[in-house]
Amino acid sequence: MKAVDTKFFPGWVRKSITFTIDDGNVRLDRKFLDITEPAGLRGTFNLHTPLKRLDAQGYRDFYRGYEIANHCKYHAYGMTPETKRPIKNEPFDRETADKACLYPDEKEGLYRVYTYNWCYAATNEVYMDCVRAATEELEDVFGKGTVKDYVWPCGEQHNAALIEKLKVEGGFRSIRKTGCIGADSGFAMPADRMAWSYNANNSNLRELSKAFDEYPDDGHLKFFCFGVHSHDFENANCWDVLEDFCRDLGNRPNDFWYASVGEIFDYEDAVKALTVTETEIKNDSPIDLYVKIDGEPVMIKANSVYTL
């Protein structure tokens, strides 16, 4: 039987690179893209609604070619028992509000709550309404069926019932939480897509990208994702970190596949679904797949059978 190695991304490379950028700060996302686009990087932008900076066509043009993920309407926080504080039925004033209390908001069902800053908060039912509304509003702009992934705003809420609702009712391909996982997984593909996170942020991107670049080929698909806001680079005055990353790891298609988060997940699924027998390789997916047969590179076209 011929030796068939299916663990390759497009271009017959083992390693993928992507980014996940929250909040849709158009001014600083533009600065981010001015650095990453010439290096060939691609990734995912996580937007919350309502979209306020541009009109619909402006947003489509600005993020053209990138994946859009759901970051919840109003960037809402899902309340836990600990956030069910006394309610103050008085006008909310960010400067004078009591951080130990909840303030009903003029938006029905929402409150103002202090976490690491003042944000919107919602009960589980209202939160799920916000999630569904964000998908609908984003797809009105970017196209039906395009918003397939979810990213927690305000970090992952430690609310088991809400997490389960999001997994079961959300219908998402993946749910991203917050926090660098570094290189602890050996840069493996995320094992749990309902609770995955990125490898690096602006504070450790240099160190971890070097480790990823030097990580030896162990025969498995590898995943490197960095985030998490374009304003992180601005606030820390470290755009040079991103520039160095793009200089060192960008424009290297013989080493890395640059893609959005969703594209990488879909590709992995297609690889796992390949059927390999002694006589053929069957690809029932809509994605062209890259394999090696007895060490020779072969593309298995989408929805096709390759005879060995």
Side-chain angles (χ1 to χ4, degrees):
M1 182 175 177
K2 293 184 177 181
V4 178
D5 187 348
T6 64
K7 301 296 178 63
F8 291 99
F9 287 118
W12 295 278
V13 299
R14 305 272 196 202
K15 296 178 177 180
S16 62
I17 291 178
T18 190
F19 57 74
T20 176
I21 299 295
D22 295 357
D23 293 352
N25 184 324
V26 171
R27 180 177 68 87
L28 294 176
D29 284 357
R30 180 69 269 162
K31 195 169 181 177
F32 178 91
L33 288 172
D34 284 345
I35 297 170
T36 58
E37 280 185 335
L41 270 63
R42 300 184 61 240
T44 301
F45 288 92
N46 315 307
L47 308 185
H48 54 83
T49 60
L51 300 173
K52 296 180 178 179
R53 300 288 185 91
L54 305 171
D55 61 18
Q57 187 60 53
Y59 272 103
R60 283 192 290 272
D61 292 342
F62 188 89
Y63 290 110
R64 191 176 304 281
Y66 295 92
E67 180 186 22
I68 301 300
N70 183 331
H71 202 34
C72 199
K73 188 167 187 175
Y74 304 123
H75 200 269
Y77 177 85
M79 290 195 292
T80 65
E82 291 72 29
T83 55
K84 290 180 180 176
R85 306 165 189 175
I87 295 174
K88 278 201 170 184
N89 287 298
E90 58 184 55
F92 171 74
D93 185 314
R94 182 181 293 269
E95 300 301 321
T96 61
D98 185 345
K99 294 178 181 178
C101 295
L102 290 172
Y103 290 80
D105 192 79
E106 60 185 18
K107 298 176 179 64
E108 186 176 356
L110 290 175
Y111 296 87
R112 289 286 192 162
V113 65
Y114 191 85
T115 53
Y116 55 88
N117 58 20
W118 285 104
C119 62
Y120 291 108
T123 61
N124 291 359
E125 291 72 21
V126 174
Y127 191 93
M128 291 305 301
D129 288 342
C130 289
V131 171
R132 287 185 283 266
T135 292
E136 182 177 338
E137 291 168 20
L138 288 170
E139 290 190 343
D140 281 346
V141 173
F142 296 102
K144 200 69 177 173
T146 59
V147 178
K148 299 179 180 180
D149 302 280
Y150 189 76
V151 172
W152 287 103
C154 309
E156 181 185 8
Q157 276 76 83
H158 300 288
N159 177 332
L162 179 57
I163 291 169
E164 191 62 20
K165 274 181 172 290
L166 195 57
K167 288 179 180 179
V168 174
E169 299 176 24
F172 294 107
R173 172 177 49 198
S174 74
I175 301 173
R176 201 212 79 201
K177 54 185 183 178
T178 298
C180 297
I181 65 167
D184 291 347
S185 68
F187 301 107
M189 295 292 297
D192 182 0
R193 290 191 195 161
M194 294 295 105
W196 74 277
S197 197
Y198 43 88
N199 301 94
N201 61 22
N202 64 291
S203 69
N204 55 11
L205 185 57
R206 277 199 179 104
E207 167 195 346
L208 287 166
S209 61
K210 185 174 187 295
F212 182 66
D213 194 10
E214 296 175 352
Y215 200 86
D217 183 352
D218 62 6
H220 294 282
L221 298 177
K222 297 298 176 183
F223 178 81
F224 185 86
C225 181
F226 70 93
V228 63
H229 307 92
S230 55
H231 69 241
D232 295 335
F233 295 95
E234 181 79 3
N235 294 346
N237 191 27
C238 66
W239 289 104
D240 59 312
V241 170
L242 184 60
E243 291 167 349
D244 290 348
F245 176 85
C246 291
R247 182 197 64 223
D248 295 340
L249 274 70
N251 292 320
R252 290 171 53 184
N254 293 328
D255 299 311
F256 308 116
W257 183 42
Y258 308 107
S260 70
V261 173
E263 286 172 329
I264 295 171
F265 288 165
D266 285 348
Y267 191 93
E268 181 192 29
D269 286 344
V271 169
K272 288 180 176 179
L274 266 179
T275 302
V276 181
T277 69
E278 290 188 5
T279 59
E280 66 181 26
I281 304 173
K282 188 177 183 182
N283 179 10
D284 287 327
S285 82
I287 300 172
D288 294 340
L289 298 176
Y290 294 68
V291 307
K292 286 190 177 180
I293 302 172
D294 286 342
E296 293 298 316
V298 174
M299 181 191 290
I300 312 298
K301 299 293 288 183
N303 300 301
S304 73
V305 176
Y306 182 89
T307 301
L308 294 171

